[in-house]
Amino acid sequence: MKEPEIDYMAVFQALPGAVALLTPQLFFADANEEWLRVINRSRVHVIGRYMPDDYADRPNHPNAAVARNIEESLRRVARTGRPETMELQRFDPTDTTIQPRAAEARYWSMTNVPVPGADGQVALLLHRVEEVTELIQARVVALSLQEAMLPAPREVGRHPVAVRYRPAVGTLEVGGDWYDLVDMPGDRLGVAVGDVVGHGLSAASVMGQLRSALSAASRSCGGPARALEILELYARSVVGAENTTVANAFVDWNTHCIAYSSAGHLPPALLRSDCTVEFLDRATDPPLGARLKHGPWPQATTPFTEGAYLVLYTDGLIERRSEDIDTGLARLADSLTRHCGAEAETLADALLTDLLPSTGISDDTALVIVPL
């Protein structure tokens, strides 16, 4: 069979997004029509131009820093031969090299890829850009909605609870992680964390509905399992609520016991006063809507002594790609043990420092620490 002749120029023009080719010395060698449209220039004004000349005469322009970022990334790729995805870049709307479409700033995702020559050395640099302004705006709205729906950090009853929420930085959309604190009569506290499947405004909306429903159920039911049972019934009427995971616990300082129940969520951790760690995993059923038939939810209790801590969290704190979940749980237990004796706020900060990657997290993280 005869191999088809491939028109690589046509392929280059059909690539999704705006793409330019530069020499390792950062001179423009070619650009597709989408690139020319984005920068609002003709081919004759681009090909052969030295990329670092952009803003050379305007070093204090807001976009000059962006140009320097692009130059530094391209030079690294040329030097190392490794592709690089840049952090999102913000362009000022007054810049005439960007086709103006709105008064607000525009955001762009950029990827730089080395193209090797016949000798294996970097012969060209492929620079691809894609506008993501609408995704950024949606993320801001979703974050605002999420923050408005989550309870503000506060002292619940007589017990100061430490809470932390960290949105993902490796994705453009927020997730559906949430937490709730319910002050109940008799020196009791209801505490829950959950994770809605999906991202963006829809996940934030579902999160708010489920958090409110569980908060109401916890105030009117006899225990965390019954509250989850009612929550599952409610979740059946909420589009997007299926497969949500929830961990729910009631702390009773009169009996010094924790009653807990889980809908497919990671087990809460109990840091005891002797610095040992117990994961509360004896009452777990599948996520909401994933059980084969409706019925009572499992519930278990465990005693505690003064000086212990109850720790609830979402998967962004411990889960990592290509890593077994037990490894993440062991890492959490080790961090809790090493910081045993710290105040709740100090412990919360220490856990985030120990467990979250320095490069940023790829999933939202909610963390609640209850001093017992």
Side-chain angles (χ1 to χ4, degrees):
M1 178 179 173
K2 184 180 178 180
E3 293 186 1
E5 294 185 3
I6 300 176
D7 185 346
Y8 285 99
M9 180 57 71
V11 173
F12 180 67
Q13 291 297 334
L15 289 174
V19 181
L21 288 174
L22 296 94
T23 69
Q25 295 76 34
L26 305 191
F27 288 91
F28 281 93
D30 203 351
N32 67 1
E33 292 302 321
E34 179 63 13
W35 172 275
L36 299 175
R37 186 195 67 80
V38 166
I39 67 172
N40 197 28
R41 289 183 180 177
S42 65
R43 181 176 298 277
V44 69
H45 290 101
V46 172
I47 307 307
R49 183 171 59 85
Y50 184 48
M51 194 278 291
D53 281 345
D54 287 348
Y55 303 102
D57 59 339
R58 296 172 291 167
N60 296 323
H61 191 283
N63 292 342
V66 177
R68 289 191 293 270
N69 292 340
I70 297 172
E71 177 185 353
E72 291 170 1
S73 175
L74 287 168
R75 293 194 185 280
R76 279 194 301 270
V77 173
R79 184 176 64 254
T80 65
R82 293 193 297 268
E84 183 170 302
T85 299
M86 300 177 60
E87 294 184 357
L88 295 182
Q89 300 295 312
R90 178 183 185 274
F91 277 84
D92 189 282
T94 61
D95 179 32
T96 58
T97 65
I98 301 293
Q99 189 173 20
R101 296 193 310 179
E104 70 272 6
R106 316 302 295 178
Y107 293 86
W108 298 81
S109 172
M110 302 184 179
T111 305
N112 299 317
V113 180
V115 180
D119 59 358
Q121 301 300 310
V122 176
L124 290 169
L125 300 169
L126 187 150
H127 178 56
R128 179 181 182 274
V129 303
E130 181 179 8
E131 186 174 2
V132 293
T133 304
E134 291 184 0
L135 290 176
I136 291 295
Q137 293 170 339
R139 174 182 169 85
V140 171
V141 173
L143 272 174
S144 299
L145 176 62
Q146 193 173 46
E147 290 173 358
M149 290 180 174
L150 293 175
R154 69 190 193 282
E155 184 170 318
V156 183
R158 299 187 294 105
H159 308 283
V161 178
V163 299
R164 299 289 187 273
Y165 177 79
R166 297 290 184 270
V169 298
T171 179
L172 295 179
E173 294 189 291
V174 298
D177 292 24
W178 52 277
Y179 64 87
D180 194 32
L181 305 170
V182 180
D183 189 18
M184 296 184 292
D187 203 14
R188 294 185 303 149
L189 172 69
V191 54
V193 295
D195 188 358
V196 174
V197 176
H199 297 85
L201 285 172
S202 59
S205 175
V206 172
M207 174 274 292
Q209 295 178 72
L210 295 182
R211 189 194 70 81
S212 298
L214 181 60
S215 182
S218 295
R219 285 177 167 87
S220 60
C221 298
R226 177 58 178 161
L228 284 183
E229 186 178 343
I230 293 175
L231 181 65
E232 184 182 43
L233 288 172
Y234 173 75
R236 294 179 181 179
S237 64
V238 179
V239 176
E242 59 275 4
N243 293 316
T244 294
T245 66
V246 186
N248 195 24
F250 285 14
V251 181
D252 190 330
W253 277 271
N254 291 321
T255 63
H256 283 80
C257 281
I258 301 169
Y260 64 91
S261 185
S262 175
H265 200 81
L266 294 165
L270 178 60
L271 174 61
R272 297 193 178 277
S273 53
D274 63 359
C275 296
T276 59
V277 176
E278 175 189 354
F279 286 104
L280 308 185
D281 57 5
R282 294 183 290 110
T284 300
D285 253 15
L288 299 181
R291 298 196 302 173
L292 296 179
K293 59 181 180 179
H294 178 70
W297 220 275
Q299 179 171 306
T301 61
T302 190
F304 67 85
T305 57
E306 186 176 351
Y309 288 101
L310 177 64
V311 181
L312 290 87
Y313 52 94
T314 56
D315 54 7
L317 185 69
I318 67 165
E319 287 189 358
R320 302 293 175 263
R321 292 180 180 176
S322 70
E323 184 179 87
D324 188 270
I325 188 62
D326 289 337
T327 301
L329 291 173
R331 189 164 50 240
L332 171 59
D334 177 69
S335 181
L336 286 170
T337 299
R338 286 189 290 109
H339 298 290
C340 182
E343 297 293 331
E345 295 290 340
T346 302
L347 179 59
D349 291 334
L351 290 179
L352 295 183
T353 299
D354 287 353
L355 302 178
L356 297 187
S358 59
T359 55
I361 55 177
S362 58
D363 194 8
D364 290 18
T365 297
L367 173 66
V368 181
I369 300 179
V370 182
L372 302 175

